């Protein structure tokens, strides 16, 4: 029998590249991989057009599809994008914000949608650790440096007591932040004014690396942004497929980590990043051997925390669990 042909949409990360270049194969699958300029383009094509059989999807976007009358996807416990997000909070330096608690009562921009993946985590952390909850702020939704209305390809939900509005037509949140039209901005995409080192903007946590490392030491949480989803009808037809896809993504991740480990011998001379070797060694002291674990059990605390934040921020009808969102065949991973 010939291998099953699958179209897979995913960013070409270090830890997925072995799938893109064919170093790693998915058993029984003839896979064609597609990436995109920005990952939300993959999200939109999958949600609107069912453009892929298997796709990367932002975790908050996936959870919103569970509110549809007939949820079309099921997630695998594969997490191709994780990032610490204290660094995703930007402020106007004239706004009077000197510490996290000062965000209360302020107008804050957010990228793409109220409750995007890089927004749920900071809001949850601000609430847990600093007592600042979303209802204490006003929210404007748009893009960093170009006009974009809120994403409309996914159900949008927010509590009635939270003031959320779209960015004014023709405006972008980065320039609004620099001009003081908003006080802060939470975004996975850094605005150009920050990249230009404008004196009018700064990060809420200037030494964000130290803050994020301390957060990980304290909590053990490496925040998850995205997951891998499969169209449900595909699994109905090929129920054994999920384990093969899961294994393929795991193997590709292992290839990337092994390349980094082998690079130590020549002090990562194949990379163009100065002092990468001491950074790699510092991270090895902080993280376990598997920096980016897949599977449910190694990530249960992180996922449960995200699901709690998602519910507390009024983005889901009930507090979901791992058992609600992942394919049953992989719950034991």
């Amino acid at each position: 029998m010939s291998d099953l042909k699958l179209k897979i949409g995913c960013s070409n990360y270090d830890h997925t590249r072995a799938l893109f270049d064919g170093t790693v194969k998915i058993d029984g699958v003839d896979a064609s991989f597609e990436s995109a300029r920005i990952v939300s383009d993959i999200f939109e094509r999958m949600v609107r057009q069912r453009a892929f059989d298997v796709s990367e999807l932002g975790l908050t976007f996936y959870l919103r599809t569970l509110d549809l009358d007939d949820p079309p996807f099921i997630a695998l416990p594969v997490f191709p994008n994780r990032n610490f997000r204290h660094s995703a909070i930007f402020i106007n330096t004239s706004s009077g914000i000197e510490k996290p608690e000062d965000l209360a009562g302020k107008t804050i921009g957010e990228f793409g949608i109220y409750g995007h993946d890089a927004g749920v985590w900071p809001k949850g952390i601000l609430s847990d650790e600093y007592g600042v909850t979303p209802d204490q702020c006003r929210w404007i939704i748009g893009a960093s440096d170009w006009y974009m209305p809120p994403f409309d390809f996914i159900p949008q939900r927010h509590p009635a007591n939270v003031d959320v509005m779209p960015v004014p037509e023709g405006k972008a949140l980065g320039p609004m932040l620099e001009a003081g039209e908003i006080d802060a901005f939470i975004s996975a995409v850094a605005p150009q004014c920050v990249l230009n080192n404008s004196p009018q903007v700064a990060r809420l946590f200037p030494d964000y690396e130290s803050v994020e490392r301390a957060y990980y030491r304290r909590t053990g949480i490496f925040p998850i942004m995205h997951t891998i989803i499969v169209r449900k009808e595909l699994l109905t037809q090929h129920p054994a497929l999920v384990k093969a896809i899961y294994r393929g993504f795991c193997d590709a991740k292992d290839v990337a980590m092994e390349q980094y480990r082998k690079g130590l011998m020549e002090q990562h001379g194949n990379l163009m990043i100065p002092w990468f070797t001491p950074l790699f060694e510092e991270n090895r002291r902080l993280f376990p051997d598997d920096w980016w674990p897949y599977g449910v059990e190694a990530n249960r605390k992180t996922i449960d925390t995200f699901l709690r934040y998602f519910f507390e921020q009024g983005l889901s009808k009930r507090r979901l669990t791992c058992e609600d969102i992942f394919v049953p065949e992989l719950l034991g991973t």
Side-chain angles (χ1 to χ4, degrees):
M1 293 180 63
S2 60
D3 288 342
L4 178 66
K5 292 184 179 295
L6 291 184
K7 190 175 179 182
I8 301 178
C10 181
S11 287
N12 193 349
Y13 303 106
D14 287 1
H15 50 283
T16 60
R17 193 155 300 140
L19 288 165
F20 277 81
D21 65 21
T23 301
V24 168
K25 304 285 189 183
I26 298 174
D27 188 38
V29 171
D30 178 7
S32 62
F33 284 82
E34 290 188 25
S35 188
R37 184 180 63 86
I38 56 174
V39 70
S40 59
D41 289 346
I42 295 174
F43 301 172
E44 182 168 4
R45 289 182 63 199
M46 185 60 162
V47 174
R48 281 197 194 278
Q49 306 164 16
R50 309 294 191 264
F52 308 102
D53 301 296
V54 179
S55 172
E56 180 178 1
L57 191 62
L59 188 52
T60 183
F61 292 83
Y62 166 62
L63 296 178
R64 283 174 164 90
T65 69
L66 301 181
D67 283 341
L68 299 175
D69 292 337
D70 183 17
F73 312 124
I74 187 70
L76 311 186
V78 173
F79 312 109
N81 189 304
R82 308 172 81 126
N83 279 284
F84 294 97
R85 289 307 191 191
H86 292 74
S87 51
I89 310 174
F90 309 96
I91 61 169
N92 178 279
T93 52
S94 300
S95 64
I97 300 172
E98 297 181 357
K99 58 187 184 299
E101 291 85 351
D102 295 333
L103 288 169
K106 301 298 185 180
T107 299
I108 303 175
E110 183 170 0
F111 184 88
I113 192 170
Y114 179 78
H116 78 310
D117 303 299
V120 172
W121 280 106
K123 289 175 195 166
I125 292 168
L126 289 169
S127 177
D128 275 359
E129 302 197 352
Y130 303 100
V132 178
T133 55
D135 60 292
Q136 297 173 334
C137 308
R138 296 173 297 278
W139 299 88
I140 299 179
I141 312 303
S144 297
D145 291 291
W146 63 97
Y147 170 69
M148 182 185 75
F151 293 138
D152 63 355
F153 60 88
I154 204 75
Q156 300 186 47
R157 173 191 296 272
H158 64 82
N161 67 332
V162 178
D163 185 355
V164 180
M165 63 182 64
V167 67
E169 187 168 356
K171 291 269 194 173
L173 294 170
M176 290 178 69
L177 179 69
E178 187 174 24
E181 296 175 62
I182 58 175
D183 302 300
F185 181 32
I186 296 179
S187 175
V189 180
Q192 191 62 45
C193 56
V194 171
L195 303 181
N196 291 344
N197 296 312
S198 167
Q200 301 304 316
V201 298
R203 296 182 192 264
L204 176 63
F205 298 97
D207 187 14
Y208 61 84
E209 180 184 350
S210 295
V211 173
E212 290 169 348
R213 287 181 180 275
Y215 171 80
Y216 179 77
R217 291 189 189 96
R218 187 171 68 254
T219 65
I221 291 174
F222 186 174
I224 290 169
M225 301 294 129
H226 303 166
T227 188
I228 294 293
I229 55 140
V230 179
R231 293 167 60 178
K232 278 187 175 178
E233 68 268 22
L234 183 65
L235 298 187
T236 301
Q237 300 163 9
H238 306 279
L241 191 60
V242 290
K243 292 185 178 179
I245 296 171
Y246 175 78
R247 185 72 260 157
F249 275 92
C250 288
D251 289 347
K253 175 170 61 70
D254 291 345
V255 166
M257 287 305 298
E258 183 60 21
Q259 289 173 343
Y260 284 128
R261 284 191 289 266
K262 286 182 176 178
L264 282 168
M265 183 179 296
E266 297 182 354
Q267 301 188 73
H268 298 99
N270 62 323
L271 299 177
M272 298 297 291
I273 304 172
W275 303 293
F276 180 85
T277 295
L279 172 62
F280 183 76
E281 291 175 332
E282 182 180 5
N283 285 345
R284 289 181 81 187
R285 291 189 290 270
L286 178 64
F287 293 105
D289 288 341
D290 189 351
W291 298 6
W292 293 64
Y294 296 163
V296 173
E297 290 310 315
N299 294 286
R300 188 174 285 275
K301 179 180 178 181
T302 299
I303 297 161
D304 283 346
T305 300
F306 186 91
L307 294 175
R308 174 170 65 85
Y309 289 164
F310 198 74
F311 176 67
E312 289 176 349
Q313 292 168 30
L315 301 174
S316 60
K317 297 175 183 177
R318 62 184 179 89
R319 184 168 170 179
L320 298 163
T321 68
C322 290
E323 286 70 23
D324 293 317
I325 68 174
F326 295 119
V327 62
E329 291 86 344
L330 296 176
L331 287 174
T333 53

